[in-house]
Amino acid sequence: MIELDPKEYHSPGYYIRAASKRFEAEGAQALRHRVFVEEQGIFADHDRDGIDLIATHLVALSTLAHEADQVVGTVRIHEERPGHWWGSRLAVDSGFRNVGRLGAELIRLAVCTANARGCVRFHAHVQMQNVVLFRRLHWHPLEEVSLHGAAHMKMEADLAHYPPCADPVAGWYHRPRKVTA
């Protein structure tokens, strides 16, 4: 077996899709634990809640030999009431945050999926350090709120910039641009 140093290997592309396999769901949960419990300390033991039972979980998967390898990003979406959707628990693995657009691609799939399911409003509570990213992606700030002891901005997506995605399980393959030194 060939040993690859993770710092030397770069995935050529990423699947952005709805979690449909057990390893994808388990990988998303493990990533959320690393980000929200271990790194950020927002939750003491776990970040799971009742929304997990009704949400559609989306993932970014690194690839090896063009096959899905590991979950490196995740977000979940749910319909709060007819037409009113929320995105939450957006997380990208710390080792992949320098890969272009993984978070943005997950956001795009989240809103496009909800749009295909009859969304008329899509909201998220966004950590303050990510507000600039969301604004670039055609989201509008509504109000500052405190969640779990941390400042967040309630934001709304401009649905005109997110065409419906009727098959989020198929999703798409994202090839990040190469960064030149």
Side-chain angles (χ1 to χ4, degrees):
M1 176 180 221
I2 298 173
E3 289 288 326
L4 295 174
D5 181 347
K7 293 182 191 313
E8 292 178 15
Y9 174 75
H10 300 283
S11 180
Y14 300 84
Y15 290 110
I16 310 296
R17 65 186 187 205
S20 62
K21 297 179 172 72
R22 184 177 178 149
F23 92 91
E24 295 169 351
E26 290 173 350
Q29 183 56 52
L31 174 57
R32 284 173 40 187
H33 187 272
R34 285 194 309 276
V35 171
F36 299 118
V37 177
E38 295 172 12
E39 281 181 34
Q40 297 181 358
I42 293 175
F43 301 97
D45 297 316
H46 62 81
D47 75 320
R48 294 182 310 274
D49 60 22
I51 293 171
D52 285 322
L53 300 175
I54 61 170
T56 298
H57 299 267
L58 309 174
V59 293
L61 299 156
S62 64
T63 58
L64 183 63
H66 205 66
E67 294 295 324
D69 183 42
Q70 65 177 319
V71 174
V72 298
T74 188
V75 68
R76 67 182 185 181
I77 62 171
H78 78 283
E79 189 174 28
E80 181 181 52
R81 61 183 187 275
H84 293 257
W85 286 76
W86 282 86
S88 57
R89 303 295 203 270
L90 174 65
V92 175
D93 186 277
S94 61
F96 292 83
R97 290 182 192 146
N98 63 342
V99 173
R101 297 194 49 85
L102 288 182
E105 291 296 312
L106 285 164
I107 294 163
R108 181 166 69 106
L109 180 59
V111 182
C112 290
T113 298
N115 209 353
R117 296 176 180 179
C119 180
V120 295
R121 296 189 84 176
F122 193 102
H123 291 114
H125 287 121
V126 177
Q127 291 182 3
M128 296 306 283
Q129 71 266 21
N130 296 323
V131 169
V132 171
L133 167 66
F134 278 74
R135 286 183 104 146
R136 282 197 314 256
L137 298 173
H138 306 283
W139 286 64
H140 309 287
L142 301 175
E143 67 178 319
E144 190 171 329
V145 296
S146 180
L147 294 173
H148 311 291
H152 287 71
M153 180 65 71
K154 181 179 179 184
M155 299 187 79
E156 183 172 349
D158 181 346
L159 297 177
H161 292 276
Y162 294 92
C165 175
D167 188 2
V169 173
W172 54 80
Y173 188 73
H174 171 63
R175 291 184 67 104
R177 287 183 233 163
K178 292 188 179 188
V179 178
T180 55

